[in-house]
Amino acid sequence: MGILNGKTAVVTGSTSGIGLACARAFAGAGANIVLNGMGAPGEVENERASIESDFGVKAVYSPADMAKPNEIAELIALGEKTFSSVDVLVNNAGIQHVSPIEEFPVEKWDAIIAINLSSAFHAIRAAAPGMKRRGWGRIIMTASAHSLVASPFKSAYVAAKHGIAGLTKTVALEFARSKITCNCISPGYVWTPLVEKQIPNTMAARHMRRDQVISEVLLAAQPTKEFVTSEQVAALALFLCSDDAAQITGANLPIDGGWTAA
Ligand SMILES: NC(=O)c1ccc[n+]([C@@H]2O[C@H](COP(=O)([O-])OP(=O)(O)OC[C@H]3O[C@@H](n4cnc5c(N)ncnc54)[C@H](O)[C@@H]3O)[C@@H](O)[C@H]2O)c1
């Protein structure tokens, strides 16, 4: 009997990286899954089918674009219609762009604020009525060490992640009497496509080689000198869904190899 048996988890941005690890961890605990994110249709279908066969749960996929409020509402509606409830919501979808402020493309700023911050508001707004009706819910945000500290050249990302930390606290307070918790997890660097993709821009912005970016920018911040793994983040997310975590709400939990302790 898994701790999420009979429950449904919607994980935004779950076609790769941290989101996919969360979806698989929740499925392993018995939850039906609503997958979401970009990706080649064949690869996404493989991930969806392997969640069903590996864990004996049901999984559906929604291509909803997290920059579009109406598609976010449809994502939550798909979960409620298919499985009768959305009990766990992980606001995880995110993108990155690295550039000095004067050169930061305005459309990249708008996209990062929409996908990394506003999408969480829209998803919570859509999922909350059902959670309140059923008297149970877990809302988890993938924030970042950049919700606690800043780095140069990441203005939009740092602004969005600090926003997520603030939204987490507000949601926790508003839903505190409804047995719905809301917390954010703040990973340091996790080796996922998001990190890999930002390396060329960081090389250009800082005039560095690839190996220098990894050792002098990415792992420089983490005293353990190791990347966090997606599975470690997913294990923390799963713990937040447990009864033992019922009194953890409004928290911002770093999992960053000591980065924000320094
Ligand atoms: N990798 C890290 O080092 C790190 C550290 C801290 C926080 N994070 C956060 O973790 C979250 C997941 O990132 P990741 O590292 O797993 O990266 P990733 O690139 O592997 O995953 C991002 C996911 O978001 C999806 N996505 C992107 N744009 C979307 C859109 N418009 N609509 C729907 N889905 C969209 C992608 O398809 C993918 O499924 C992000 O919010 C990121 O900011 C990552």
Side-chain angles (χ1 to χ4, degrees):
M1 190 75 177
I3 65 163
L4 293 177
N5 265 12
K7 293 200 158 50
T8 304
V10 173
V11 185
T12 73
S14 47
T15 50
S16 78
I18 294 167
L20 180 57
C22 286
R24 290 185 62 82
F26 297 159
N32 293 320
I33 302 295
V34 182
L35 282 176
N36 160 257
M38 310 297 181
E43 285 172 25
V44 173
E45 173 51 23
N46 283 346
E47 294 297 354
R48 190 203 64 76
S50 70
I51 286 175
E52 289 196 339
S53 59
D54 290 351
F55 303 112
V57 299
K58 293 281 174 213
V60 293
Y61 165 68
S62 159
D65 182 347
M66 291 301 105
K68 298 187 176 151
N70 58 326
E71 294 191 20
I72 297 168
E74 285 166 18
L75 170 74
I76 301 300
L78 175 72
E80 290 180 337
K81 187 168 154 240
T82 312
F83 301 122
S84 311
S85 66
V86 170
D87 309 286
V88 177
L89 168 65
V90 183
N91 290 307
N92 169 78
I95 58 170
Q96 174 63 289
H97 185 79
V98 178
S99 173
I101 284 181
E102 310 93 293
E103 293 155 28
F104 209 99
V106 170
E107 63 278 10
K108 289 280 185 200
W109 170 277
D110 289 343
I112 289 173
I113 298 300
I115 295 166
N116 295 22
L117 174 58
S118 300
S119 70
F121 162 75
H122 296 297
I124 292 166
R125 194 171 162 271
M131 288 181 177
K132 284 187 175 170
R133 244 188 345 265
R134 287 181 298 278
W136 194 91
R138 292 288 190 267
I139 300 169
I140 298 163
M141 324 274 222
T142 311
S144 166
H146 283 117
S147 75
L148 295 160
V149 297
S151 294
F153 312 125
K154 295 184 177 174
S155 52
Y157 189 86
V158 170
K161 294 300 184 182
H162 276 67
I164 283 288
L167 178 61
T168 297
K169 293 179 192 173
T170 302
V171 173
L173 295 179
E174 287 193 25
F175 297 174
R177 300 294 293 273
S178 305
K179 302 207 179 296
I180 300 168
T181 67
C182 180
N183 295 288
C184 62
I185 295 177
S186 284
Y189 282 106
V190 188
W191 189 258
T192 68
L194 181 138
V195 166
E196 250 184 302
K197 274 187 264 175
Q198 82 188 50
I199 289 178
N201 279 340
T202 309
M203 288 166 67
R206 296 190 183 237
H207 308 291
M208 283 180 168
R209 296 187 315 270
R210 181 184 164 86
D211 61 305
Q212 286 179 301
V213 169
I214 291 173
S215 64
E216 294 174 30
V217 179
L218 304 182
L219 292 181
Q222 290 182 195
T224 58
K225 301 297 169 205
E226 291 179 21
F227 285 99
V228 181
T229 70
S230 293
E231 289 71 24
Q232 289 165 341
V233 178
L236 179 53
L238 182 59
F239 173 71
L240 289 173
C241 296
S242 69
D243 288 343
D244 287 336
Q247 294 304 316
I248 302 176
T249 194
N252 184 346
L253 302 167
I255 172 165
D256 63 6
W259 175 349
T260 54

